[in-house]
């Protein structure tokens, strides 16, 4: 019996795939199809799959061409599979010509002519190309634009800013560059807002009322009443409102959360997060609009509320403010200590102050250590009393998590679900801290 194996993602199964599978099957008597797992695809930079592994497997099964299906989960697995399954022929499409010649040591390698004029990427792009507009003039939007290029299903086509002079240079060539908000909103399906905290609420409200989906840099709003109103508006208008904290979309951070849930470090006793940076020099006007608590507070608070919940019993806020801007509580450094029923947490955030940007989560059996800058890390460790038990975890992080965030936003729009990485309760708790900071007189200012 001649055993043949072929591999692929098979997203949105199309006739190019079916023709490939038919010819692969005809090469022998028994066909094994390797289907890539979502995690493996992510490490290969394939982040746009619209179907889950289970859906992709079901589609290949339904062709009736595969005698056996295996899931491809790691680099180098092809060699293992070929040896383990006693494969005689390895085959793939001619787009891979030459690439798998190293397998000739283990079996025969055949490249089959690729079917012209069709691919999963093409179908995905055609299915849903949403027009996205940018709001704001932060340099950061350049990164968002760059990352959007690797994401299927959404095109950034314009930018609005109240001051066109400060728009980053690479964005000045977009199709639509305007200081008229209505003009931008009338020409897009969705917006990415990164203006400044004091106007986020107004801009979001305006966009939602026009039926546009919104992805907004945190903080979404500066008090809970505003946030509640925005959530209701999004529901009424059947659009997505999503908070942008890119750390929430990093693979390492997500794995850390589930590992902690599985009790690997025991009961969690303390979460301590620090995020600081010096001021940027590119846009001085914008710099005056982002203080420490708004620029870094949401990111530092994310693990606190995601790990311990939002039900803290008390907190103490201490801030060092610019003396000339004391009236508007413009802090360069803030420390918050939280007391939960059976745990504690602390955050330190600084803009214009530097500290070690690490995240430490202490438990009854051990602790998790995420080195600086923890908010864009690809690595963490679990550490124990006995160093021999320590474990290190590495995951790929492309584009600081922005591309995964965009994929998630487009997925939420496509599927009509608001099931995104940051729960409404967590955003609400973050907004609550902004409210308490600005509106409560109980903040210690130094
Ligand atoms: N294939 C083919 N003809 C096509 C598309 C794919 O013969 N028009 C083959 C590939 O060469 C590969 C298998 O089908 O052997 C699975 O390919 P996959 O990467 O899953 O599909 P693509 O459509 O190429 O996906 P994408 O656009 O995401 O790269």
């Amino acid at each position: 019996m001649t055993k043949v194996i072929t591999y692929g993602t098979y997203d949105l199964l199309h006739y190019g795939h079916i023709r490939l599978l038919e010819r692969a099957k005809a090469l022998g008597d028994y066909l094994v199809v390797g289907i890539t797992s979502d995690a493996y695809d992510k490490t290969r930079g394939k982040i746009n799959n619209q179907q889950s592994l289970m859906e992709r497997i079901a589609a290949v099964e339904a062709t009736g061409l595969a005698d056996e299906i295996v899931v491809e989960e790691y680099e180098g697995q092809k060699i293992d599979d070929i040896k383990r399954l006693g494969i005689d022929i390895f085959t793939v499409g001619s787009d891979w010509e030459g690439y798998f010649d190293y397998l000739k040591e283990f079996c025969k390698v055949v490249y089959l002519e690729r079917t012209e004029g069709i691919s999963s990427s093409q179908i995905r792009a055609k299915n849903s190309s949403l027009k996205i507009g940018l709001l704001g003039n932060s340099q950061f939007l350049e990164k968002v634009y760059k990352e959007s290029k690797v994401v299927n299903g959404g095109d950034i086509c314009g930018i609005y800013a109240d001051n066109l002079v400060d728009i980053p240079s690479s964005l000045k060539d977009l199709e639509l560059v305007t200081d008229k908000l209505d003009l931008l909103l009338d020409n897009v399906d969705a917006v990415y807002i990164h203006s400044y905290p004091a106007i986020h609420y107004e801009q979001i409200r305006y966009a939602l009322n026009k039926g546009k989906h919104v992805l907004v840099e945190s903080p979404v709003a500066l008090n809970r009443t505003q946030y509640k109103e925005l959530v209701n508006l999004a529901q009424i208008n059947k659009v997505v409102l999503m908070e942008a904290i890119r750390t929430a979309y990093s693979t390492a951070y997500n794995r850390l959360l589930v590992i902690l849930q599985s009790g690997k470090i025991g009961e969690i006793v303390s979460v301590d997060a620090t995020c600081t940076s010096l001021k940027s020099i590119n846009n001085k006007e914008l710099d005056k609009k982002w203080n420490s608590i708004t620029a870094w507070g949401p990111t530092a608070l994310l693990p606190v509320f995601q790990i311990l919940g939002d039900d803290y019993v008390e907190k103490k806020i201490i801030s060092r403010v610019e003396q000339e801007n004391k009236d508007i509580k413009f802090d360069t450094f803030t420390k918050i200590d939280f007391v939960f029923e059976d745990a504690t947490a602390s955050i330190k955030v600084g803009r214009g102050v530097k500290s070690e940007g690490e995240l430490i989560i202490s438990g009854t059996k051990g602790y998790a250590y995420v080195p600086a800058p923890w908010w864009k890390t690809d690595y963490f460790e679990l550490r124990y009393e006995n160093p021999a038990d320590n474990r290190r975890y590495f995951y790929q992080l492309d584009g600081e998590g922005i591309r995964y965030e965009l994929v998630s936003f487009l997925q939420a729009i496509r599927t009509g679900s608001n099931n995104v990485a940051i729960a409404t309760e967590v955003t609400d708790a973050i907004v609550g801290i902004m409210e308490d900071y600005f509106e409560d007189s109980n903040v210690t200012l130094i």
Side-chain angles (χ1 to χ4, degrees):
M1 182 168 78
T2 305
K3 273 183 133 183
V4 183
I5 196 163
T6 188
Y7 292 85
T9 303
Y10 303 103
D11 190 32
L12 308 172
L13 197 86
H14 52 72
Y15 72 85
H17 293 143
I18 295 172
R19 283 198 63 228
L20 187 288
L21 293 174
E22 282 169 351
R23 285 171 296 153
K25 174 113 178 165
L27 290 173
D29 314 299
Y30 188 88
L31 178 65
V32 183
V33 181
I35 304 182
T36 47
S37 72
D38 295 321
Y40 182 51
D41 265 336
K42 215 169 174 182
T43 67
R44 308 192 302 146
K46 270 203 166 206
I47 57 169
N48 289 301
N49 291 345
Q50 284 190 7
Q51 292 185 301
S52 67
L53 173 64
M54 286 310 174
E55 289 168 319
R56 292 181 287 118
I57 290 177
V60 171
E61 255 169 10
T63 66
L65 292 162
D67 296 292
E68 185 175 342
I69 288 177
V70 295
V71 177
E72 187 182 20
E73 291 180 281
Y74 57 91
E75 186 89 46
Q77 184 182 325
K78 292 186 179 75
I79 297 178
D80 281 347
D81 287 344
I82 289 167
K83 287 191 196 161
R84 182 172 56 89
L85 300 168
I87 297 294
D88 304 290
I89 302 175
F90 167 91
T91 185
V92 273
S94 52
D95 42 325
W96 295 99
E97 186 79 51
Y99 192 87
F100 292 108
D101 286 358
Y102 69 92
L103 294 175
K104 284 181 180 164
E105 201 181 308
F106 308 97
C107 65
K108 191 172 163 194
V109 174
V110 177
Y111 298 101
L112 292 167
E113 194 67 30
R114 185 182 163 89
T115 307
E116 288 301 316
I118 185 144
S119 73
S120 303
S121 313
Q122 248 179 34
I123 302 176
R124 284 191 296 257
K126 214 165 61 201
N127 270 357
S128 56
S129 208
L130 284 174
K131 287 185 157 191
I132 304 172
L134 303 173
L135 261 69
N137 52 17
S138 153
Q139 293 289 326
F140 178 75
L141 290 171
E142 283 193 309
K143 282 192 193 169
V144 174
Y145 180 57
K146 200 169 138 233
E147 287 302 307
S148 74
K149 299 278 179 206
V150 295
V151 174
N152 273 167
D155 289 317
I156 292 182
C157 57
I159 182 164
Y160 156 85
D162 46 8
N163 177 3
L164 294 181
V165 183
D166 289 329
I167 289 181
S169 50
S170 69
L171 300 176
K172 288 191 171 144
D173 298 333
L174 287 174
E175 229 170 281
L176 178 62
V177 178
T178 179
D179 56 3
K180 293 180 183 57
L181 184 53
D182 280 322
L183 185 62
L184 183 91
L185 291 176
D186 290 342
N187 283 287
V188 297
D189 308 297
V191 287
Y192 191 120
I193 302 179
H194 192 314
S195 46
Y196 50 92
I199 60 165
H200 279 172
Y201 160 73
E202 285 297 339
Q203 290 184 329
I204 300 168
R205 198 168 61 137
Y206 202 70
L208 293 177
N209 271 327
K210 282 202 162 227
K212 309 298 168 185
H213 305 281
V214 173
L215 175 58
V216 57
E217 201 63 28
S218 205
V220 177
L222 294 179
N223 70 57
R224 286 190 162 107
T225 316
Q226 289 177 344
Y227 178 57
K228 204 168 169 195
E229 183 193 337
L230 296 176
V231 171
N232 282 338
L233 263 184
Q235 266 166 9
I236 291 167
N237 289 299
K238 298 194 173 56
V239 288
V240 171
L241 168 62
M242 180 172 141
E243 177 175 29
I245 304 179
R246 51 198 180 284
T247 306
Y249 295 87
S250 100
T251 312
Y253 177 77
N254 274 293
R255 293 295 150 89
L256 174 66
L257 292 188
V258 288
I259 286 174
L260 294 177
Q261 268 171 10
S262 73
K264 276 262 172 9
I265 60 167
E267 278 170 49
I268 292 168
V269 173
S270 182
V271 176
D272 302 278
T274 302
C275 302
T276 66
S277 61
L278 295 183
K279 292 193 177 195
S280 69
I281 41 163
N282 296 326
N283 190 334
K284 290 215 162 61
E285 274 314 300
L286 207 54
D287 246 17
K288 292 183 196 150
K289 292 168 175 162
W290 288 90
N291 53 339
S292 312
I293 195 71
T294 53
W296 280 121
T299 304
L301 291 165
L302 186 74
V304 174
F305 294 137
Q306 285 193 317
I307 295 168
L308 298 175
D310 54 0
D311 211 7
Y312 55 87
V313 190
E314 58 181 90
K315 67 175 178 304
K316 171 143 191 67
I317 308 180
I318 305 169
S319 291
R320 185 177 197 269
V321 289
E322 288 180 356
Q323 288 310 306
E324 65 276 24
N325 290 316
K326 209 168 178 175
D327 51 331
I328 55 163
K329 284 194 183 166
F330 199 95
D331 62 326
T332 50
F333 186 81
T334 286
K335 183 174 191 296
I336 308 181
D337 285 318
F338 291 91
V339 179
F340 287 78
E341 206 166 297
D342 56 359
T344 93
S346 71
I347 67 156
K348 280 189 279 184
V349 291
R351 201 143 188 273
V353 172
K354 268 318 270 179
S355 184
E356 183 71 14
E358 60 190 14
L359 170 65
I360 297 173
I361 298 145
S362 316
T364 50
K365 292 185 187 158
Y367 69 98
Y369 172 68
V370 193
W374 72 265
W375 54 90
K376 51 178 173 187
T377 190
D378 52 2
Y379 167 72
F380 62 87
E381 284 181 38
L382 297 189
R383 293 180 176 172
Y384 299 92
E385 192 96 291
N386 176 3
D389 296 334
N390 290 359
R391 288 286 172 274
R392 295 167 175 217
Y393 298 81
F394 296 87
Y395 301 94
Q396 194 154 322
L397 178 71
D398 292 309
E400 294 178 26
I402 300 168
R403 66 180 65 171
Y404 309 138
E405 190 171 73
L406 289 172
V407 167
S408 194
F409 181 50
L410 294 171
Q411 241 163 25
I413 295 174
R414 208 176 50 241
T415 59
S417 87
N418 240 342
N419 187 16
V420 290
I422 308 172
T424 311
E425 296 73 38
V426 170
T427 301
D428 189 60
I430 292 173
V431 168
I433 296 293
M434 300 300 134
E435 177 172 345
D436 293 349
Y437 176 79
F438 286 111
E439 292 176 24
D440 190 343
S441 54
N442 215 2
V443 176
T444 306
L445 300 182
I446 52 171

